[in-house]
Amino acid sequence: MSKDIIQTPNAPAAIGPYSQAVRVGATVYLSGQIGLDPATGNLRDGVEAQARQVIANLTAVAQAAGGSLDDIVKITLLLADMADFTAVNDILAKSFAPPYPARATYQVAALPKGGQVEIEAVLVLPSA
């Protein structure tokens, strides 16, 4: 099966040796996004602003793949501080519609560029 690489200028460029997303069949694997503004390359200030930017970045990559946030079936949420869980959870609840994607949440020692939140996702494109 072939792999299609998904890239968009509407989300931050990869800061390492990876693609923004990879499509295999109808499944799209979205790399983790942190709260970087794609226009400036700067990290947003504060966990809530970073979480909103992460959602905007995931939306841009999902759209570049031909999908939307509604097509996401699984997310992995990484937090630098579990004390931010409620604030980020509230933003996610407003960003996704029921039925919500499956999710795992982890506190990590650190995130790239000093970020406070990162989300990766798996998306399944609707049938054509």
Side-chain angles (χ1 to χ4, degrees):
M1 189 169 276
S2 67
K3 297 188 298 185
D4 295 319
I5 304 305
I6 309 300
Q7 297 283 37
T8 178
N10 298 322
I15 57 175
Y18 60 90
S19 301
Q20 289 174 332
V22 176
R23 178 180 174 176
V24 179
T27 304
V28 182
Y29 301 91
L30 288 77
S31 292
Q33 290 287 330
I34 58 175
L36 290 178
D37 179 336
T40 66
N42 294 328
L43 198 60
R44 297 284 184 181
D45 291 328
V47 70
E48 291 181 22
Q50 287 183 30
R52 285 187 198 91
Q53 186 65 57
V54 166
I55 295 299
N57 295 342
L58 288 172
T59 298
V61 176
Q63 289 173 343
S68 71
L69 290 185
D70 290 339
D71 300 315
I72 291 177
V73 297
K74 169 75 167 61
I75 64 172
T76 302
L77 170 61
L78 307 171
L79 296 170
D81 187 345
M82 197 58 84
D84 294 327
F85 178 83
T86 300
V88 173
N89 197 55
D90 288 346
I91 291 166
L92 292 177
K94 293 172 185 163
S95 301
F96 290 94
Y100 297 112
R103 182 173 89 184
T105 302
Y106 303 98
Q107 179 174 321
V108 296
L111 290 169
K113 297 196 175 257
Q116 295 173 272
V117 58
E118 179 174 353
I119 300 175
E120 67 174 20
V122 177
L123 177 150
V124 178
L125 295 170
S127 299

